[in-house]
């Protein structure tokens, strides 16, 4: 204050204010409000040289959280600030005024707008509730909120993000209090006991006895603000992930890279608009339809139509069925008409992308309106011939999305139709897909597979499948026929690509159709395995002669892509097949030689990691029925794979994860097969698991820990429990403590605790481990009263040598707690306290130890959101029963 009151040097005053802003949060509140500090800052605020630094100081004051007795001080402070602001900014400026001022202003003026937005958001977050209770402050409050709405329209993304974060909190709070008031009124009203206590979000609502509750009062207070916020969300809605057609320097192109900031912005705006829609659906609908009418009136623009359609799609599920039907009939009809009358490839691409996005967000509407559904799907087929970048991709993605939600409608004979739509689709299949790229064809076939899977008549299903697969089967048969004459045909690049595309198409159909795919699998199985063997031999020969460089050549990569596709198709089929006896008796024996034998005999660089995931899937599917085959599986993959992945932490990353997933499947479902291992192989198994959970790759380490946890539980309930733990107990305790305390593996903290707690529980009695764990030959059988005493001393010694900064008393107390605690939550808290005591963890690592609690809070917040209609995107809603 001395400097501010005794100098006129501009730079000195600026430096003083900058320093003050940094220290304001530490200054006692009495000094701030009872002295002259606030008055001095408010006096400097309108002066151009000090405006921004003074506003930064005022922002710091405005977001201070203080006891309730200071509320009146904050109200006076805000009132005085609003009075001073009028000297700079006219009251209730329109949106264009702020936008133009920001775009044409100097850097200082732009910073002022940014700082003003931060002032309002910071102040309102902490003090708006008090201002709401003071009618005299309502005018200034609404003025500030209107200013913040205007600031939200500026083109700077960071400014918008700051404002959106606040609007999301503000609208959610208004919505919550409104719900509480309305629900209270329903429960308290006469006859409520006989009702269902429901809440219609679109209704105006009223409190009990005709008196407006706090929720209704807040809604009425903010009715104009909420209306302006709806306009803001509709006019500035961010692009959703599903839309891949974007504008770039005046050109419409396909998006090449996802903008994660924009996706986060979309989620925030979507959530906010759903709250706003629930608070007044009619206003939301009217604003959207008014804007759509203006677009139809001949003044449409790419940006305006995009944001409108993105907003329309974002509120899917937030309205009742009648509202949604009335609204969407108008929207879809107008968009289809606009597409028909508009000229220009770019214009049509923009409209097409918006049609596809909107219809993809409203599957419930399409299910209820067959004519609209058929029209939309036929329009998608038209878009599949449109070669503008991105349009075909969106058409195929939207077709897949609609097929997933409306599949039953396509196989049922609809009113006034000659045949089910799927039959009509299959009649024109070749023409429909003729302009699509391979990956788009795969999506298309997956969508049709979903439809065919919805057919309940097995004969019709087989007929549809045969007609669908006829084009790829013809290509397959032609290639196989040529190969019988000349095997060298299979080495031609275009032939390899054709084979891979046929296989990928089959993978898509198998994944969506499921068990009925069996007949197609039978048709292809023999030739597939012959192709696998042919390409395996060629790949192995090429790598054996050419070494590592040959493995990276395009020719070898193409051949391996066919092998990988074959393995992927078999794996998907195994997962979907419901006839386990068929798998056991025919399919699995057929795989052992061509696939498993090839893996064992191939050079390391020629081995496919997908072999490991395939046999893991087979074991998970068939469980104990695979026990006779597991020894042969282990013989083929165990030592060869370990030799590949244990030389370092970098080579063969796919093999690492899939190898431990295979071991995990064997441990869970065929554990008895491990008893056939000799001691050297068991040691190799344990060493490989330790190596896995010491890995710095999180997914490998987590797989290793899960495998170890299940292995320990299985051994604990086996006849070999004592022998196993005598050999490996102390080794495993040492290794788990090593990764728990090294700060590189904190994400595995929860599993570390579960494993240690299990190991400590085993020695609390002699029911599992029935012999001493210590070296009886060296120490004698009576060296310790029991295993618990030995383990406690062993862990104390281990921790004392690892953490010399801990006193013996601290170490002994920590270990005693580990041994005594039996509650999982309490054990985890105790271990967390122990790790903090070691002083090996900084703040960042300590945060990781609370990952479970953080995840629980996020899950709780998500559960609250999911209770609100529309918050869960329609494609994440499991409503298969509705598709009937």
């Amino acid at each position: 204050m001395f400097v501010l009151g005794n100098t006129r040097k501009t730079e000195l005053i600026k430096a003083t204010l900058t320093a003050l802003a940094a220290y304001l949060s530490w200054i006692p509140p009495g000094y701030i409000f009872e002295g002259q500090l606030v008055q001095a800052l408010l006096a400097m605020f309108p002066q151009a040289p000090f405006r921004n630094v003074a506003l930064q100081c005022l922002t710091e004051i405005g977001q201070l959280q203080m006891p309730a007795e200071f509320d009146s001080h904050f109200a006076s402070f805000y009132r005085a600030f609003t009075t001073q602001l009028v000297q700079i900014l006219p009251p209730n400026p329109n949106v264009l005024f702020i936008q133009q001022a920001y775009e044409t202003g100097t850097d200082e003026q732009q910073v002022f707008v940014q700082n003003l937005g931060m002032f309002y958001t910071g102040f309102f977050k902490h003090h708006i509730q008090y201002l709401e209770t003071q009618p005299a402050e309502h005018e200034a409050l609404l003025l500030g909120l209107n200013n913040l709405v205007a600031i939200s329209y500026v083109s700077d993304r960071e400014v918008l993000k700051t404002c959106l974060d606040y609007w999301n909190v503000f609208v959610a709070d208004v919505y919550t209090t409104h719900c509480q008031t309305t629900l209270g009124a329903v429960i308290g009203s006469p006859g409520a006991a006989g009702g269902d206590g429901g809440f219609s979000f679109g209704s105006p609502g009223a409190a009990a006895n005709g008196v407006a509750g706090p929720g209704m009062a807040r809604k009425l207070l903010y009715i104009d603000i909420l209306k302006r916020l709806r306009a803001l969300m509709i006019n500035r809605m961010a692009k959703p992930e599903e839309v891949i057609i974007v504008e770039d320097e005046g050109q419409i192109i396909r998006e090449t890279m996802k903008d994660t900031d924009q996706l986060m912005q979309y989620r925030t705006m979507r959530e906010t608009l759903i709250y706003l829609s629930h608070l007044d659906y009619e206003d939301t609908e009217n604003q959207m339809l008014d804007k759509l009418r203006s677009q139809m009136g001949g003044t449409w623009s790419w940006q305006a139509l995009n944001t409108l359609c993105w907003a329309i799609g974002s509120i899917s599920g937030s309205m009742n069925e009648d509202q949604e039907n009335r609204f969407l009939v108008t929207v879809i009809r107008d968009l289809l008409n606009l597409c028909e009358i508009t000229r220009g490839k770019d214009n049509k691409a923009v409209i097409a992308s918006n049609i596809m996005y909107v219809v993809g967000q409203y599957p419930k509407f399409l299910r209820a309106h067959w004519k609209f559904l058929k029209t939309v799907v036929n329009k998608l087929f038209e878009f599949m011939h449109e070669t503008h970048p991105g349009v075909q991709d969106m058409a195929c993605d939207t077709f897949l999305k609609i097929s997933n939600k409306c599949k039953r409608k396509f196989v049922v004979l609809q009113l006034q139709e000659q045949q089910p739509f799927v039959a009509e689709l299959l009649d024109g299949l070749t023409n429909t897909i003729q302009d699509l790229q391979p990956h788009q064809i795969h999506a298309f076939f997956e969508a049709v597979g979903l439809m065919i899977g919805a057919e309940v008549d097995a004969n019709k299903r087989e007929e549809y499948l045969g007609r669908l697969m006829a084009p790829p089967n013809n290509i397959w048969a032609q290639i196989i026929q040529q190969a019988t004459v000349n095997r060298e045909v299979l080495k031609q690049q275009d032939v390899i690509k054709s084979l891979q595309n046929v296989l990928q198409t089959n993978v898509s159909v198998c994944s969506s159709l499921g068990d009925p795919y069996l007949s197609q699998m039978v048709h292809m199985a023999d030739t597939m395995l012959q192709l696998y063997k042919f390409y395996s031999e060629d790949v192995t020969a090429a790598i054996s002669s050419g070494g590592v460089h040959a493995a990276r050549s395009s020719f070898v990569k193409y051949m391996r892509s066919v092998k990988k596709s074959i393995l992927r198709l078999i794996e998907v089929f195994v997962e979907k097949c419901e006839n386990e006896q068929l798998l056991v008796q025919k399919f699995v024996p057929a795989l052992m030689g061509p696939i498993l034998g090839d893996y064992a005999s191939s050079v390391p660089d020629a081995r496919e990691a997908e072999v490991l995931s395939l046999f893991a899937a087979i074991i998970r599917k068939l469980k104990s029925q695979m026990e006779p085959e597991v020894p042969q599986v282990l013989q083929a993959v165990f030592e060869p794979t370990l030799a590949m992945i244990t030389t370092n932490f970098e080579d063969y990353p796919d093999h690492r994860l899939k190898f431990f997933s295979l071991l995990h499947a064997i441990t869970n479902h065929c554990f008895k097969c491990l008893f056939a291992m000799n001691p050297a192989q068991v040691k190799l198994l344990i060493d490989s698991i330790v190596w896995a959970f010491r890995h710095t790759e999180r997914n490998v380490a987590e797989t290793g820990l899960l495998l170890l946890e299940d292995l320990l539980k299985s051994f604990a309930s086996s006849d070999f429990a004592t022998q196993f733990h005598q050999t490996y107990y102390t080794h495993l305790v040492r290794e788990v403590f090593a990764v728990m305390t090294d700060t590189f593996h904190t994400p595995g903290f929860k599993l570390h605790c579960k494993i240690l707690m299990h190991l400590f529980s085993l020695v609390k009695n002699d029911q599992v481990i029935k012999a001493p764990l210590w070296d009886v030959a060296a120490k004698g059988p009576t060296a310790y009263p029991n295993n618990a005493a030995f383990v406690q001393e062993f862990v104390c010694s281990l921790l004392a040598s690892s953490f010399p900064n801990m006193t013996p008393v601290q170490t002994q107390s920590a270990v005693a707690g580990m041994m005594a605690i039996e509650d999982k939550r309490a054990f985890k808290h105790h271990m967390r306290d122990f790790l903090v005591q070691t002083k090996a963890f900084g703040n960042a690592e300590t945060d990781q130890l609370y990952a479970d609690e953080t995840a629980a809070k996020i899950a709780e917040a998500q559960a609250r959101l999911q209770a609100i209609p529309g918050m869960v995107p329609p494609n994440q809603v499991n409503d298969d029963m509705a598709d009937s």
Side-chain angles (χ1 to χ4, degrees), residues 664-734:
H664 198 183
I666 293 172
T667 301
N668 282 343
H669 305 297
C670 303
F671 179 69
K672 293 178 182 178
C673 295
L674 300 182
F675 298 156
M677 286 182 163
N678 59 46
Q681 289 176 320
V682 174
K683 184 179 186 305
L684 193 57
L685 171 66
I686 298 301
D687 288 345
S688 68
I689 294 173
V690 170
W691 181 90
F693 67 69
R694 295 189 73 157
H695 203 283
T696 51
E697 283 289 334
R698 181 172 179 173
N699 52 358
V700 177
E702 184 177 354
T703 303
L705 289 169
L706 290 169
L707 170 55
L708 176 61
E709 181 187 14
D710 289 340
L711 186 76
L712 289 172
K713 289 178 180 177
S714 298
F715 265 114
S717 59
S718 74
D719 296 335
F720 297 89
T722 300
Q723 181 182 347
F724 174 82
H725 288 97
Q726 279 184 313
T727 308
Y728 297 108
Y729 187 96
T730 55
H731 174 60
L732 291 173
V733 168
R734 182 185 296 107

Side-chain angles (χ1 to χ4, degrees), residues 289-300:
L289 292 179
D290 286 345
K291 187 172 181 182
L292 181 59
R293 279 191 288 270
S294 72
Q295 295 293 297
M296 295 294 295
T299 59
W300 81 282

Side-chain angles (χ1 to χ4, degrees), residues 410-414 418-425 460 464:
F410 297 112
V411 295
V412 173
L413 181 62
Q414 301 292 339
Q418 300 298 318
Q419 59 182 343
F421 184 83
V422 67
E424 182 182 327
L425 180 156
K460 285 185 178 180
Y464 294 152

Side-chain angles (χ1 to χ4, degrees), residues 267-465:
R267 293 187 186 106
T268 303
M269 297 185 81
R270 175 182 178 275
E271 186 178 309
T272 306
L273 186 55
I274 288 173
Y275 285 130
L276 289 165
S277 180
H278 284 316
L279 285 166
D280 190 342
Y281 172 73
E282 288 186 4
D283 182 57
T284 307
E285 180 184 8
N286 290 337
Q287 288 200 43
M288 288 180 172
L289 292 179
D290 286 345
K291 187 172 181 182
L292 181 59
R293 279 191 288 270
S294 72
Q295 295 293 297
M296 295 294 295
T299 59
W300 81 282
S301 68
W302 292 345
Q303 182 64 19
L305 186 66
N306 283 340
T307 55
L308 171 62
C309 291
W310 299 341
I312 290 171
S314 72
I315 61 170
S316 170
S318 64
M319 56 196 94
N320 66 44
E321 192 170 344
D322 290 340
Q323 291 170 331
E324 183 175 278
N325 290 345
R326 183 184 68 244
F327 176 59
L328 283 177
V329 165
T330 303
V331 169
I332 296 175
R333 184 186 61 224
D334 287 354
L335 288 175
L336 290 171
N337 288 339
L338 185 62
C339 188
E340 290 297 326
I341 64 176
T342 303
R343 296 293 174 263
K345 289 181 69 69
D346 282 354
N347 292 335
K348 280 188 171 292
V350 170
I351 299 171
S353 74
N354 286 312
I355 291 173
M356 290 186 284
Y357 173 66
V358 170
V359 298
Q361 298 304 110
Y362 288 91
K364 185 165 63 174
F365 169 80
L366 295 177
R367 280 200 299 264
H369 299 81
W370 166 247
K371 290 295 185 183
F372 266 104
L373 175 57
K374 183 178 179 181
T375 302
V376 163
V377 172
N378 283 326
K379 199 68 181 177
L380 292 177
F381 292 168
E382 286 182 31
F383 294 152
M384 289 178 191
H385 298 288
E386 175 56 65
T387 55
H388 197 289
V391 174
Q392 291 173 310
D393 282 321
M394 275 199 73
C396 292
D397 291 345
T398 307
F399 179 52
L400 176 57
K401 192 181 299 184
I402 291 174
S403 297
N404 186 37
K405 291 296 182 180
C406 309
K407 49 185 174 284
R408 182 77 182 133
K409 298 299 177 185
F410 297 112
V411 295
V412 173
L413 181 62
Q414 301 292 339
L415 193 64
Q416 299 179 346
E417 298 289 346
Q418 300 298 318
Q419 59 182 343
F421 184 83
V422 67
E424 182 182 327
L425 180 156
L426 293 170
D427 288 340
L429 177 64
T430 305
N431 180 60
T432 304
I433 66 174
Q434 66 182 3
D435 294 322
L436 297 179
Q437 298 297 312
H439 71 279
Q440 296 160 350
I441 292 175
H442 303 157
F444 185 94
F445 272 69
E446 183 179 350
V448 182
L450 288 166
M451 295 181 188
I452 296 173
E455 175 57 69
V456 294
D457 186 323
N459 293 327
K460 285 185 178 180
R461 205 164 51 221
E462 284 296 312
E463 178 201 341
Y464 294 152
L465 178 60

Side-chain angles (χ1 to χ4, degrees), residues 555-568:
F555 176 63
V556 169
K557 285 181 178 179
Y558 276 128
M559 291 193 292
R560 294 186 73 170
S561 69
V562 175
K563 291 179 64 182
K564 292 176 186 291
S565 296
I566 291 172
L567 292 170
R568 178 60 186 154

